[in-house]
Amino acid sequence: MEDAASGKPALEVTRSPAPSRQTNYALGVLFVVTMLNFLDRQIISIVAEPIKQDLGLTDTQLGLMTGLSFAIFYTTLAIPVAALADRWNRSRIIAIAIATWSAMTVACGLSANFIQLFLARVGVGIGEAGSAPASHSLIADLFPPDRRSGALGILGMSVPIGAFLAYAGGGWITENLDWRSAFLIAGLPGIIIAIVIWFTVPDPRGKIPLSAAFKAKPNEITFKDAFKELSSKPAYWHLVAAGVLVQFVSYGLASFYGGLFVRVHGIGYGELGWKLGVMVGLSGGFGAWFGGKIGDILGKGNPRLPLLLSGLMLVIAAPGMIWAIYADNVNVAIALLAFPTFGATFYYGPSFAAIQALANDRTRAMAVAIYLLVAGLIGLGIGPVFVGGLSDYFAGGDKLLEASALQKALAILALFNIWAGFHYWRAEANIKR
């Protein structure tokens, strides 16, 4: 595939100098931001079961609370925030975003019923909508094309580390204090990081007045323009479809970690939290790092190969996930979950590097935002509700069947990994063509 303006292959890269200390510092701070992003997003997974018991919720309500409540504005607001990120100071946007979602995480711990908790989770989604598009756009400016996959892979490593803190810390706090304390403690560090970003991470564009960001500019790319440009690239939409399915599976599974292991194996929250945290931190962190390195190394010779490997990892993850769901031993079950966890983070670097390469300089943030809109609204928003609804259907209101019903729902969910692998194969084929 060639770039229309230059005639060169669109994904072609050349060797660039090593990033500067300031660039690496910015990546380190964004790493912490994304880690806290996932910590505050996912801590609800480990405390979902005690919330269910305390507030008298159904599995469908758990799915709505963990998935759809967060996804509604997390995905839809990503588009206007991405447009702002293409015009204004991205460091300021990220700082405001983390301060907002951290405050709303604290509000989750103060909620007295389902409606209040649902609305607080909506607020977390509103805050987190500003983080990813601005962060990805900033990294694309800080790192040259041949180093972006590695940088994005490092950023992706923060996701499983944030999950480790959510599961291990949230489980311990829940068992020794209560689920409300877990939210309160998780939300406070973000306020400090917001101040650090505001004063120490400059945007390469320099200082741009906020008023200038809302003024029309000649030849400016709008959402319609970006959508039209990306619509001509089938590879991009196959990457979006794959992202939908990866998130559908990963969030659907993670939202019911507590339900699966507490109902089936009778494990305590403290033990479950640290064991899940170690598994997710190691397998997920290694998957993100390895995927990023593979993207940089193999991508030099064949930029399409990392996408094929991403799809293969997800196909392998499907039987591993089913095996874990029906394992008799809790430790074996948690260990087997490393397969879907590795596959769900390996894709991060190669996929987002390909998206940045398929977009042009003026639509990078918008390309990520559109991806997050579709993948998040369907994957994150519907995945947990899908699992919760299936579980309630299979249980038929019988408390004694809740454990086996949840196992059936999660086993069906595992098959969506194979579908995701198909879209990576089609993305590779379209880039080749």
Side-chain angles (χ1 to χ4, degrees):
M1 187 177 70
E2 294 187 347
D3 181 90
S6 64
K8 296 181 180 180
L11 299 183
E12 181 181 347
V13 295
T14 55
R15 194 66 181 169
S16 302
S20 67
R21 180 178 298 179
Q22 184 179 17
T23 298
N24 287 329
Y25 170 76
L27 178 60
V29 175
L30 293 176
F31 181 98
V32 175
V33 170
T34 307
M35 179 185 70
L36 291 176
N37 180 305
F38 209 77
L39 165 63
D40 290 354
R41 181 188 312 184
Q42 283 302 105
I43 194 167
I44 198 167
S45 298
I46 197 66
V47 302
E49 196 66 11
I51 290 175
K52 176 182 179 178
Q53 303 303 323
D54 189 15
L55 302 183
L57 308 182
T58 65
D59 280 348
T60 302
Q61 286 177 310
L62 283 185
L64 289 168
M65 181 183 65
T66 57
L68 189 61
S69 63
F70 177 88
I72 291 173
F73 287 101
Y74 173 71
T75 54
T76 55
L77 282 180
I79 298 296
V81 172
L84 184 62
D86 283 332
R87 308 169 77 179
W88 191 51
N89 189 301
R90 290 162 290 189
S91 297
R92 297 285 190 266
I93 292 173
I94 296 168
I96 294 170
I98 188 172
T100 302
W101 89 59
S102 297
M104 296 310 296
T105 299
V106 172
C108 288
L110 302 176
S111 301
N113 53 52
F114 172 74
I115 297 298
Q116 291 178 7
L117 187 53
F118 185 94
L119 293 176
R121 284 284 294 171
V122 168
V124 175
I126 290 173
E128 293 197 8
S131 178
S135 295
H136 285 229
S137 177
L138 194 56
I139 286 176
D141 277 359
L142 293 172
F143 289 84
D146 62 309
R147 295 184 183 274
R148 280 181 198 147
S149 182
L152 288 168
I154 290 173
L155 190 69
M157 289 175 63
S158 64
V159 170
I161 293 175
F164 168 78
L165 294 174
Y167 298 143
W172 186 91
I173 294 169
T174 299
E175 188 164 290
N176 291 276
L177 297 173
D178 54 37
W179 63 267
R180 297 181 184 279
S181 299
F183 281 117
L184 297 177
I185 294 172
L188 295 177
I191 307 299
I192 299 173
I193 299 301
I195 296 172
V196 170
I197 295 170
W198 188 279
F199 290 105
T200 69
V201 179
D203 189 312
R205 296 174 184 162
K207 295 182 178 180
I208 303 173
L210 181 58
S211 57
F214 294 97
K215 292 181 179 179
K217 298 178 181 179
N219 302 318
E220 184 174 42
I221 294 291
T222 64
F223 171 80
K224 182 179 179 181
D225 296 329
F227 190 86
K228 182 178 180 181
E229 180 210 332
L230 295 169
S231 293
S232 66
K233 300 173 180 179
Y236 172 80
W237 293 106
H238 279 293
L239 290 173
V240 171
V244 167
L245 294 164
V246 170
Q247 293 196 29
F248 194 88
V249 175
S250 58
Y251 285 110
L253 173 62
S255 295
F256 289 91
Y257 274 152
L260 175 65
F261 286 99
V262 172
R263 297 178 201 177
V264 176
H265 299 284
I267 190 173
Y269 295 109
E271 181 184 358
L272 173 62
W274 77 259
K275 287 183 176 179
L276 273 178
V278 169
M279 181 278 295
V280 171
L282 291 178
S283 61
F286 180 69
W289 174 82
F290 189 60
K293 294 301 291 184
I294 287 294
D296 280 345
I297 296 171
L298 297 184
K300 292 183 178 70
N302 183 354
R304 305 183 308 273
L305 188 56
L307 297 179
L308 284 178
L309 288 176
S310 297
L312 178 61
M313 295 301 175
L314 291 167
V315 171
I316 295 173
M321 180 172 163
I322 295 174
W323 193 5
I325 291 166
Y326 285 102
D328 292 330
N329 182 278
V330 64
N331 293 324
V332 172
I334 291 175
L336 288 170
L337 284 177
F339 284 99
T341 304
F342 181 90
T345 56
F346 181 93
Y347 86 101
Y348 199 93
S351 293
F352 283 111
I355 287 171
Q356 292 295 326
L358 287 167
N360 65 43
D361 289 344
R362 294 192 296 166
T363 59
R364 283 175 179 158
M366 191 66 75
V368 175
I370 293 173
Y371 174 97
L372 292 176
L373 171 65
V374 182
L377 193 58
I378 300 175
L380 170 58
I382 307 301
V385 181
F386 173 82
V387 175
L390 270 185
S391 178
D392 284 338
Y393 172 77
F394 289 136
D398 189 340
K399 292 289 184 181
L400 297 177
L401 296 179
E402 283 189 343
S404 61
L406 183 56
Q407 286 178 306
K408 290 178 184 178
L410 291 172
I412 293 172
L413 180 73
L415 300 177
F416 285 78
N417 279 309
I418 300 173
W419 190 1
F422 165 80
H423 283 291
Y424 275 113
W425 170 60
R426 296 308 302 155
E428 183 275 341
N430 277 280
I431 290 176
K432 180 179 180 180
R433 183 166 59 246

